[in-house]
Amino acid sequence: LADDLRYDFGTIRVSVSTVNFAPIVDLLQGELTERGTGNLLASDTLTFNLVSAGRDPEGTTLNLKSVSFRSQAGTTSVLDLNTSGASIDGGFGKLTRVAKTDVFIYTLDQDKADYLATGKTEFDTFKFELVDAAGKFTESAIIITIRGTDDPTLTVNVPPTDRKSTRLNSSHVSESRMPS
């Protein structure tokens, strides 16, 4: 091209940054029903895989950073992730780590949930954090809904009696006490 037809468009600079985004983690939820009338064989366990609840935008492997429970009194308990089979108590049950895997089992304590009537619910909430290879982490939660069920009415089985049999028993006792 001739010099008078050339045009200088300037300089384009491209900057590449290494931005790392925190993991994206789903909320985990489950539901259990307290044993009572009509459901005497209700399950009292739920299983969760915490690491599979998240994904890293950059594609790195996620790891479990922490698991905790905060009681209504405001005290926070943190699970020791270095202990095989470690567990943490919630308000109505216990969350236990299966060996040193990412799998956790929640077990409802039926005695703690026994007061719940049909239609009433309570919740156990455990917080957990997943961390990516760059150290970015995201907090999420496991929310367990505990549904109440009326308990069966306890009855005492008392054998029937009538006045005639009561008199016979009384006279029989009297006769046996007489000297011979």
Side-chain angles (χ1 to χ4, degrees):
L1 289 173
D3 286 337
D4 59 333
L5 297 176
R6 290 186 187 181
Y7 184 77
D8 185 8
F9 289 100
T11 305
I12 297 176
R13 292 188 184 193
V14 178
S15 296
V16 178
S17 77
T18 55
V19 174
N20 182 47
F21 296 99
I24 300 165
V25 185
D26 296 329
L27 180 70
L28 296 176
Q29 298 181 61
E31 182 176 305
L32 291 171
T33 302
E34 174 227 351
R35 287 188 195 131
T37 306
N39 66 343
L40 296 174
L41 301 176
S43 174
D44 57 358
T45 61
L46 291 170
T47 303
F48 300 96
N49 185 322
L50 275 54
V51 172
S52 67
R55 59 199 170 285
D56 184 41
E58 291 78 34
T60 66
T61 302
L62 297 178
N63 292 300
L64 196 55
K65 182 177 180 191
S66 71
V67 176
S68 63
F69 176 78
R70 184 179 175 127
S71 69
Q72 289 180 347
T75 317
T76 300
S77 303
V78 179
L79 184 74
D80 180 3
L81 295 174
N82 295 315
T83 303
S84 184
S87 64
I88 188 168
D89 289 326
F92 296 92
K94 180 181 288 195
L95 188 67
T96 304
R97 187 175 191 189
V98 177
K100 285 188 178 181
T101 66
D102 302 324
V103 177
F104 287 76
I105 296 174
Y106 176 83
T107 305
L108 177 63
D109 183 335
Q110 292 289 339
D111 291 338
K112 289 182 180 178
D114 195 41
Y115 75 91
L116 291 172
T118 298
K120 301 296 180 187
T121 57
E122 288 287 351
F123 302 92
D124 254 349
T125 303
F126 298 87
K127 292 185 178 180
F128 68 97
E129 294 176 328
L130 296 181
V131 62
D132 66 12
K136 294 267 186 159
F137 63 91
T138 300
E139 180 180 270
S140 189
I142 302 169
I143 300 174
I144 295 114
T145 304
I146 299 114
R147 299 215 178 272
T149 301
D150 291 334
D151 296 325
T153 306
L154 298 177
T155 58
V156 177
N157 189 6
V158 178
T161 60
D162 63 341
R163 292 180 185 213
K164 191 173 187 178
S165 64
T166 306
R167 286 184 190 148
L168 287 175
N169 288 339
S170 300
S171 63
H172 178 67
V173 172
S174 302
E175 290 175 9
S176 65
R177 290 186 181 174
M178 291 182 171
S180 24

